[in-house]
Amino acid sequence: MSGSEQQLAIGRQVRLICSTTMAFLTLGYVADTQAGATFKIDDTKWVSVGAGLRTSFRAQESAAGGDGDKWSNDFNLDNIRLYINGQVHKYLKVEFNTDCQTCSNGGEVRVLDAIGKFEVNPYANLWVGRMLVPAERREMNGPFYSAVYNIFSAGTPFEPSDYNLVIKSDGTSAGSFGRDDGATFWGAALDGRFQYAVGFFRGLRGGANADDNILYAQRFAYNFWEVEKNPGYYTSGTYYGKGGDILTVGVSNQYQEDGAGTALDAGNFRGTTADILLEKVLPGGGVITLNGEYKNYGISQGYSQASRDAGGGFDMFEGNAFDVSGMYLFPQKIGIGQFQPFLRYVNVAPSTSATREVYEAGLNYIIDGHNAKVFASYQYGDLLSKGLNYKTTATGEDVSQMMVGFQWQI
């Protein structure tokens, strides 16, 4: 090997080692600024890095009319997130996170969060930049802190900011992965029991929203038992008993004038939700967790069914939907983790299309809370085949789906 070839080989090894080191140093969630490795600069300045990985396998049977014995077999890279958090002043912080937002198409690393934080006291704080739009608990949990792995694709309809994975300005996007560009005021009162987040965002870009109307979003929650402790206005779908006995009820609302439809047939979007988390630690150490959410979405002053059926524009959901799940964490450790069986039911009833539902039974293997767990489930219903099609012509059969998922964080 020549000297130049040796230098190239050494360079590749150094880059590989650096990339691998960063990957292992950066396992986390968009939440805790102290996750992963933290590097202290002085008494007020620090930087932390983290990352998170979710990958799964799913097999779904063909609907009636096709080959009934045929199943799809898909390996998926669901998320690979890199996080950087820092503090530049006692009251000033910054957060920058990325994700593979087109993982199924080869994977492009894109900006997930880019937040400038003014955090003064528990009562009133301000975040500006690209961040989670205040919504129901599922969105505030994110995929990494939900109790169920497949919480989004087999769940209730998406908010505007989660409807399209890629931010565009052609009237088909209002954000990405539940995030949007804007500002959020958040805080807590009454010893932390009452928590609020009020935000102002761009919302739908172009199309129906030719006047650039702002999307308004609010979330309010009350902790009746123990106070949930999360960074900012984020939430979790379970604490595996580590947070004590929890009973929290939350409500949220989003509204944008001309936030749905097409440029020629615009409608005002409103999405109202209510959610509840109940987690009880039993005397023997087992943990019962119940999650529930209800959604009522509407579009007024436009966006006719004819336009929806014709296709195009920003086709937001109208109607009602709910999602309920229950699980039990066994106190005994088997091997390196604990088993947590669960049951779940989702019902989506559009006012413009056919009702759809899905039943799910699964088993989580909890190794280290949200940092390390394995998931397996069986799902059955026509939500798996009808999906987000809210046209009057939407059809779909009850089909089965089996999934296995893995989640690692640090």
Side-chain angles (χ1 to χ4, degrees):
M1 181 181 291
S2 67
S4 60
E5 289 175 330
Q6 289 178 337
Q7 290 178 344
L8 287 172
I10 292 172
R12 292 192 190 100
Q13 291 175 347
V14 170
R15 287 193 294 271
L16 177 60
I17 291 171
C18 290
S19 299
T20 305
T21 301
M22 283 301 297
F24 279 97
L25 281 176
T26 54
L27 282 164
Y29 169 57
V30 203
D32 194 346
T33 55
Q34 300 296 332
T38 300
F39 305 94
K40 185 176 180 180
I41 300 173
D42 57 32
D43 291 339
T44 60
K45 298 181 179 66
W46 52 261
V47 175
S48 70
V49 293
L53 170 70
R54 295 172 77 247
T55 184
S56 64
F57 168 79
R58 67 186 67 194
Q60 181 175 313
E61 70 171 332
S62 300
D67 185 349
D69 296 328
K70 183 176 178 57
W71 286 65
S72 64
N73 297 287
D74 299 311
F75 290 92
N76 301 285
L77 175 60
D78 299 311
N79 302 95
I80 176 63
R81 297 186 173 182
L82 304 178
Y83 314 107
I84 300 176
N85 291 271
Q87 179 172 290
V88 298
H89 181 274
K90 180 180 179 180
Y91 301 124
L92 304 178
K93 297 178 182 178
V94 63
E95 181 173 340
F96 176 70
N97 309 306
T98 67
D99 199 356
C100 171
Q101 291 178 282
T102 53
C103 292
S104 60
N105 296 322
E108 297 178 4
V109 176
R110 297 173 180 263
V111 174
L112 185 67
D113 300 277
I115 312 171
K117 304 178 178 181
F118 301 85
E119 298 185 357
V120 181
N121 59 59
Y123 306 104
N125 303 275
L126 172 64
W127 288 4
V128 295
R130 181 171 299 173
M131 72 204 76
L132 279 169
V133 179
E136 90 279 8
R137 179 179 290 270
R138 178 189 70 163
E139 289 287 353
M140 300 300 96
N141 294 344
F144 283 91
Y145 279 69
S146 290
V148 176
Y149 187 95
N150 197 30
I151 194 68
F152 289 100
S153 61
T156 54
F158 293 109
E159 281 69 18
S161 58
D162 220 359
Y163 189 83
N164 195 323
L165 295 182
V166 179
I167 296 178
K168 300 180 179 181
S169 298
D170 59 359
T172 64
S173 173
S176 174
F177 272 53
R179 276 82 173 168
D180 196 6
D181 300 334
T184 299
F185 294 91
W186 63 270
L190 304 177
D191 295 327
R193 293 188 178 279
F194 175 74
Q195 300 164 344
Y196 75 91
V198 178
F200 310 87
F201 298 88
R202 287 189 63 182
L204 182 62
R205 293 155 166 78
N209 189 24
D211 295 331
D212 290 329
N213 298 303
I214 291 175
L215 182 143
Y216 302 93
Q218 312 87 36
R219 174 177 172 80
F220 305 96
Y222 190 83
N223 298 249
F224 290 91
W225 295 348
E226 296 289 338
V227 174
E228 296 184 61
K229 295 178 176 60
N230 296 288
Y233 53 96
Y234 300 137
T235 61
S236 293
T238 176
Y239 298 88
Y240 305 105
K242 304 298 184 181
D245 295 339
I246 293 172
L247 175 59
T248 303
V249 176
V251 294
S252 61
N253 188 73
Q254 295 184 11
Y255 176 82
Q256 184 175 28
E257 184 178 351
D258 297 335
T262 66
L264 298 178
D265 190 9
N268 303 330
F269 170 78
R270 175 200 52 79
T272 305
T273 68
D275 58 76
I276 184 171
L277 168 65
L278 187 154
E279 187 157 282
K280 178 71 175 178
V281 182
L282 302 180
V287 182
I288 293 177
T289 304
L290 302 175
N291 272 283
E293 71 169 36
Y294 166 76
K295 293 184 174 180
N296 176 268
Y297 285 6
I299 300 175
S300 61
Q301 306 300 317
Y303 195 33
S304 65
Q305 185 62 39
S307 295
R308 172 179 275 110
D309 287 343
F314 199 53
D315 185 9
M316 286 303 300
F317 168 76
E318 290 183 82
N320 300 284
F322 63 90
D323 182 336
V324 293
S325 64
M327 53 192 59
Y328 176 73
L329 179 66
F330 285 95
Q332 300 86 2
K333 180 172 285 189
I334 307 297
I336 61 173
Q338 298 166 268
F339 285 106
Q340 185 186 50
F342 69 88
L343 295 173
R344 181 186 180 206
Y345 173 71
V346 180
N347 183 288
V348 179
S351 59
T352 59
S353 184
T355 298
R356 57 212 68 181
E357 61 185 0
V358 66
Y359 299 86
E360 182 174 7
L363 181 67
N364 295 325
Y365 185 60
I366 309 302
I367 301 169
D368 182 19
H370 296 293
N371 294 326
K373 60 183 178 181
V374 181
F375 145 92
S377 79
Y378 168 79
Q379 299 163 323
Y380 178 80
D382 57 353
L383 177 61
L384 301 173
S385 56
K386 291 177 181 173
L388 303 178
N389 183 359
Y390 303 131
K391 299 178 181 180
T392 56
T393 56
T395 59
E397 302 293 332
D398 290 327
V399 296
S400 295
Q401 177 174 271
M402 293 184 289
M403 283 190 65
V404 177
F406 302 85
Q407 175 173 312
W408 314 138
Q409 295 196 100
I410 191 172

